[in-house]
Amino acid sequence: GAARNRPQRLRAYQRGEDEAYLRRLFLVERLKRALVRDDGALFLTYQPKLDLARGRIDRVEALVRWVDDEHGFISPDEFVPLAEQSGLIIKLTRWVVRSVLRQLALWNASGLHLGVAINVSAQDICHEQFIDSLLHELRESGVRHEQVTLEITERDLMDNEALAVEQLTALKAAGFRIAVDDYGVGYSSLSKLKQLPVDELKIDKSFILQLPESEQDQNIVSSTIELGHKLGLKVVAEGVETSAGLDLLRAMRCDSVQGYHLARPMSAEDLTQWYASYAQTA
Ligand code: C2E
Ligand code: MG
Ligand code: MG
Ligand code: MG
């Protein structure tokens, strides 16, 4: 019965814990290696954002991908937190920034003028060299400040409030756009939001995925959009998977949308082609 099962279950549990721990250790080592070698295991994908008022693709979000020789595809939802816990995030973000700006410079040169959003963590922006190295990379690439949006999650921001707000203020003063990512799942109050030096709210996809079916999500999203606008912010919805969702967001005066309905994240080459055919039909 129960008494006999318990030690066994405990052992199984511990074994599971050990395995998870070993996997984390292993992944951190592999990630370190991937960053040093820069041999294609890490690469970037880009997902377009549609500006609803203009009916134009004006920005893309850069999303990092990692395919390890041994472990195959590893989700950024798994390895980005590991990079944060192990301190590797500084190097990872530096790699992302450099690679994204290089790509943006190529697009600029070919006459394709897109803005790009880069995901950063509070650790990144609080790092003393972050702004300098970002400015350095900008100069090297010839990309303009206003082409770059930095996305930081609401939760990350609130967990590191004092320092993060100070750094964001400096970044905004330097000319970068700032977006609060995954908005709505954190716990920032209205008064906090007002004090933050941000340009854009990105409503978390958990409120968007079932938008057409959920009256509750519709209420939350429409009031978030109104609130954002009252605070002078642009509001973006991520996770738009259906035309019904898109129609609702348009009616709610959402500023931009991003999601599988429009396009999945894709390689730079695929995005260039996708954009050309999209621009033709639009
Ligand atoms: P995020 O910044 O909130 O990015 C949006 C996520 O939603 C992406 O997942 C994207 O692929 C996914 N997505 C977009 N449209 C849809 C849709 O219509 N339906 C669904 N179900 N999902 C959609 P991804 O690429 O797996 O990234 C997960 C998270 O990992 C990101 O969430 C971000 O927090 C983090 N991340 C990704 N790339 C980077 C990076 O370069 N640096 C850092 N620091 N974090 C990153
Ligand atoms: Mg993001
Ligand atoms: Mg998000
Ligand atoms: Mg997210």
Side-chain angles (χ1 to χ4, degrees), residues 23-24 27-28 31 78-88:
R23 178 178 164 89
R24 286 200 295 273
L27 289 181
V28 167
L31 183 59
E78 179 173 16
F79 73 81
V80 169
L82 281 181
E84 286 172 343
Q85 288 154 26
S86 63
L88 264 186

Side-chain angles (χ1 to χ4, degrees), residues 90 93-94 97 101 120-140 145 148 150 163-176 178 197:
I90 305 291
T93 301
R94 210 170 276 156
V97 165
L101 293 185
V120 294
S121 75
Q123 264 190 75
D124 290 311
I125 65 165
C126 294
H127 190 263
E128 52 181 10
Q129 273 146 32
F130 182 70
I131 294 188
D132 282 348
S133 100
L134 195 57
L135 292 173
H136 173 78
E137 295 296 340
L138 273 183
R139 274 194 305 274
E140 293 280 300
H145 297 70
V148 179
L150 301 171
L163 200 53
V165 169
E166 194 180 308
Q167 294 302 320
L168 285 184
T169 307
L171 285 162
K172 196 169 153 60
F176 299 101
I178 311 290

Side-chain angles (χ1 to χ4, degrees), residues 9-266:
R9 260 196 224 151
L10 190 61
R11 272 201 299 277
Y13 173 72
Q14 279 172 342
R15 199 156 52 232
E17 283 281 278
D18 288 349
E19 270 164 29
Y21 176 72
L22 286 175
R23 178 178 164 89
R24 286 200 295 273
L25 276 187
F26 186 82
L27 289 181
V28 167
E29 283 312 307
R30 300 288 291 188
L31 183 59
K32 217 179 269 176
R33 208 174 75 142
L35 280 163
V36 170
R37 293 192 172 181
D38 196 8
D39 59 359
L42 282 169
F43 55 97
L44 286 166
T45 59
Y46 299 88
Q47 188 180 34
K49 280 191 205 178
L50 173 68
D51 177 327
L52 287 174
R54 294 202 186 88
R56 265 209 335 242
I57 303 294
D58 59 343
R59 289 181 179 272
V60 294
E61 178 174 13
L63 294 158
V64 69
R65 294 290 176 260
W66 181 23
V67 179
D68 179 72
D69 289 346
E70 268 177 58
H71 279 63
F73 173 82
I74 299 150
S75 165
D77 281 326
E78 179 173 16
F79 73 81
V80 169
L82 281 181
E84 286 172 343
Q85 288 154 26
S86 63
L88 264 186
I89 190 69
I90 305 291
K91 285 198 173 114
L92 177 64
T93 301
R94 210 170 276 156
W95 180 88
V96 169
V97 165
R98 196 172 300 147
S99 314
V100 167
L101 293 185
R102 204 177 292 152
Q103 182 57 50
L104 214 60
L106 288 175
W107 277 329
N108 279 347
S110 75
L112 175 53
H113 292 283
L114 290 170
V116 74
I118 301 177
N119 292 285
V120 294
S121 75
Q123 264 190 75
D124 290 311
I125 65 165
C126 294
H127 190 263
E128 52 181 10
Q129 273 146 32
F130 182 70
I131 294 188
D132 282 348
S133 100
L134 195 57
L135 292 173
H136 173 78
E137 295 296 340
L138 273 183
R139 274 194 305 274
E140 293 280 300
S141 61
V143 168
R144 287 173 290 112
H145 297 70
E146 61 272 21
Q147 281 186 281
V148 179
T149 303
L150 301 171
E151 296 192 359
I152 179 161
T153 66
E154 179 192 24
R155 197 170 269 154
D156 209 13
L157 202 56
M158 291 305 138
D159 287 346
N160 304 276
E161 213 190 306
L163 200 53
V165 169
E166 194 180 308
Q167 294 302 320
L168 285 184
T169 307
L171 285 162
K172 196 169 153 60
F176 299 101
R177 290 182 84 243
I178 311 290
V180 178
D181 206 349
D182 299 354
Y183 181 74
V185 293
Y187 39 85
S188 50
S189 65
L190 256 178
S191 54
K192 283 283 157 50
L193 199 60
K194 230 179 84 181
Q195 293 161 17
L196 292 176
V198 299
D199 303 281
E200 180 181 308
L201 281 188
K202 281 190 90 171
I203 305 176
D204 190 70
K205 59 176 176 286
S206 60
F207 301 104
I208 306 294
L209 291 171
Q210 281 95 43
L211 194 64
E213 297 81 37
S214 164
E215 203 175 317
Q216 196 185 5
D217 287 348
Q218 288 170 28
N219 290 330
I220 294 170
V221 170
S222 66
S223 50
T224 303
I225 293 170
E226 255 177 65
L227 164 69
H229 287 165
K230 283 198 179 118
L231 295 173
L233 305 173
K234 295 285 181 197
V235 184
V236 180
E238 63 175 24
V240 181
E241 294 190 347
T242 61
S243 61
L246 177 62
D247 291 344
L248 280 168
L249 289 160
R250 204 191 295 274
M252 292 173 185
R253 301 267 178 274
C254 189
D255 298 287
S256 306
V257 293
Q258 182 182 344
Y260 296 168
H261 175 63
L262 200 65
R264 294 196 174 239
M266 52 194 140

